[in-house]
Amino acid sequence: MQDKDIKQQIRDLCRQKNAVIMAHYYQSPDIQQVADFIGDSLALAQQAQRTDADIIVMCGVHFMAETAAILCPDKKVLIPDVAAGCSLADSCQAADLRAWKEAHPGHLVVSYVNTSAAVKALSDIVVTSGNALKIVNRLPQDAPVLFGPDRNLGRYINEQTGRQMDLWNGCCHVHDRFSLEHLLKLKAENPEALVLSHPECRKEIVDNSDVVGSTAVLINYVKAHPEKAYIVMTADGVDYEICRACPGVRLINTENACEYMRMHTLDKLLRCLQTESPVVSVEAELAKQALLPIQKMLEWSK
Ligand code: 13P
Ligand code: SF4
């Protein structure tokens, strides 16, 4: 079937079923084109909370669908490919976090949104890369904090806030593989370009960047300054939104896709809407516990 026909069928099914398609900026252009809403992790959670659709199709990774399911227990949350996981979320299992917590009594637990529902349920508050500095700055100054699972984001938060949170030793394989050598080569070839990086990148990448932030923060910076050239140190897909909004902008792309994010295809999305599966759900008691730190995050993000 032609992509055009598939896209039409997808849109028709959304209308018939009162379904909304939410997509992360790392999705392929095809998926972004057919989505009702595109955003970073924070915006996807906020949008899930406010939608009046009966069905949410999350074209993102599994924890994003789980977060939507926790926030919207009365809605059906679907994901086109249920194998779309996250190496960072996988690096922190709930039993290991529980042991870390028990070894550090009196510590607050701050968890990155890239975690399972079971990890969130053990946390005092959740953060995304879009609100982490704001939220950590609001915690009591004298409170000791455990932060996980991303050691790069945790180090960045510590540097920016002056805190000394204990860090879980996890990372995102997509961002951690950017090398300083490659970045310096790109900078030498494009001396006029500004460097955009995600805080999941290693210190040497962030230290050589002009703008550091969530996918939405990076995209919005370019939208506000479209006359400049940019080296993009995050996963593929943000370039699509940037070029859509700012045609003619010069991007030096690093061609580094998140393979989990790219598991979703138009075919899988169509089948998902037709069959209303796979469903992502969270057991009620676990969802109740995981909801508290997510709600606190959304409240503190206002
Ligand atoms: P954002 O919240 O910045 O979109 O990041 C999500 C993510 O998974 C980054 O790797
Ligand atoms: Fe997870 Fe990294 Fe993919 Fe983001 S880019 S979803 S942190 S594996």
Side-chain angles (χ1 to χ4, degrees):
M1 203 188 311
Q2 297 275 315
D3 277 2
K4 200 166 149 241
D5 300 332
I6 299 187
K7 285 177 182 159
Q8 193 54 55
Q9 283 197 50
I10 289 170
R11 293 309 322 160
D12 290 347
L13 278 168
C14 281
R15 227 178 352 266
Q16 284 161 28
K17 298 189 177 210
N18 191 25
V20 68
I21 298 173
M22 299 193 188
H24 187 267
Y25 289 122
Y26 292 161
Q27 291 300 302
S28 67
D30 266 341
I31 300 279
Q32 293 196 40
Q33 282 161 14
V34 86
D36 295 278
F37 181 83
I38 310 165
D40 65 358
S41 310
L42 176 60
L44 290 171
Q46 288 167 328
Q47 192 65 21
Q49 199 184 33
R50 67 172 77 105
T51 184
D52 55 11
D54 296 315
I55 297 176
I56 297 173
V57 187
M58 185 58 77
C59 294
V61 289
H62 194 267
F63 75 80
M64 294 175 178
E66 243 187 10
T67 302
I70 292 165
L71 284 165
C72 313
D74 53 334
K75 298 188 194 305
K76 195 180 254 187
V77 178
L78 306 174
I79 188 164
D81 189 330
V82 76
C86 167
S87 59
L88 178 55
D90 288 347
S91 75
C92 183
Q93 299 301 312
D96 299 328
L97 178 66
R98 189 188 298 278
W100 196 39
K101 221 178 130 164
E102 282 168 6
H104 295 82
H107 284 58
L108 292 175
V109 177
V110 178
S111 288
Y112 193 26
V113 71
N114 297 42
T115 44
S116 65
V119 164
K120 290 184 175 82
L122 293 169
S123 308
D124 293 292
I125 193 160
V126 169
V127 301
T128 75
S129 53
N131 58 22
L133 297 181
K134 185 175 178 179
I135 287 178
V136 170
N137 269 325
R138 260 187 80 168
L139 297 172
Q141 270 308 324
D142 52 349
V145 178
L146 300 180
F147 178 86
D150 191 83
R151 60 174 182 252
N152 292 324
L153 175 63
R155 184 217 66 251
Y156 177 72
I157 300 170
N158 276 345
E159 284 173 5
Q160 295 297 309
T161 63
R163 295 196 77 112
Q164 292 184 317
M165 303 186 300
D166 282 17
L167 308 182
W168 188 265
N169 191 17
C171 70
C172 156
H173 73 290
V174 179
H175 288 86
D176 202 60
R177 68 186 167 211
F178 284 122
S179 77
L180 180 61
E181 193 188 354
H182 187 211
L183 176 57
L184 293 180
K185 182 170 172 284
L186 293 176
K187 279 173 78 120
E189 289 165 359
N190 304 277
E192 75 293 0
L194 298 182
V195 180
L196 307 174
S197 74
H198 196 281
E200 289 174 16
C201 292
R202 280 190 254 149
K203 176 174 170 58
E204 59 265 34
I205 301 295
V206 168
D207 286 350
N208 280 283
S209 298
D210 299 286
V211 187
V212 181
S214 77
T215 51
V217 166
L218 301 180
I219 290 167
N220 289 336
Y221 186 90
V222 182
K223 286 180 183 172
H225 308 88
E227 69 289 352
K228 304 234 190 314
Y230 296 95
I231 298 170
V232 186
M233 306 301 278
T234 189
D236 293 355
V238 298
D239 50 309
Y240 179 73
E241 169 61 14
I242 290 173
C243 292
R244 189 200 59 73
C246 314
V249 72
R250 201 164 83 77
L251 292 184
I252 296 97
N253 225 346
T254 39
E255 295 189 5
N256 191 19
C258 170
E259 58 269 46
Y260 297 110
M261 287 279 186
R262 294 303 174 104
M263 283 181 170
H264 305 312
T265 61
L266 288 179
D267 284 335
K268 289 180 192 173
L269 176 53
L270 176 60
R271 210 161 37 244
C272 167
L273 275 160
Q274 285 167 335
T275 61
E276 299 190 17
S277 69
V279 173
V280 175
S281 61
V282 180
E283 185 272 316
E285 189 50 37
L286 178 61
K288 213 168 104 188
Q289 290 166 28
L291 180 61
L292 298 175
I294 298 173
Q295 268 180 333
K296 193 165 176 181
M297 168 190 82
L298 293 172
E299 196 52 41
W300 284 25
S301 300
K302 285 179 186 161

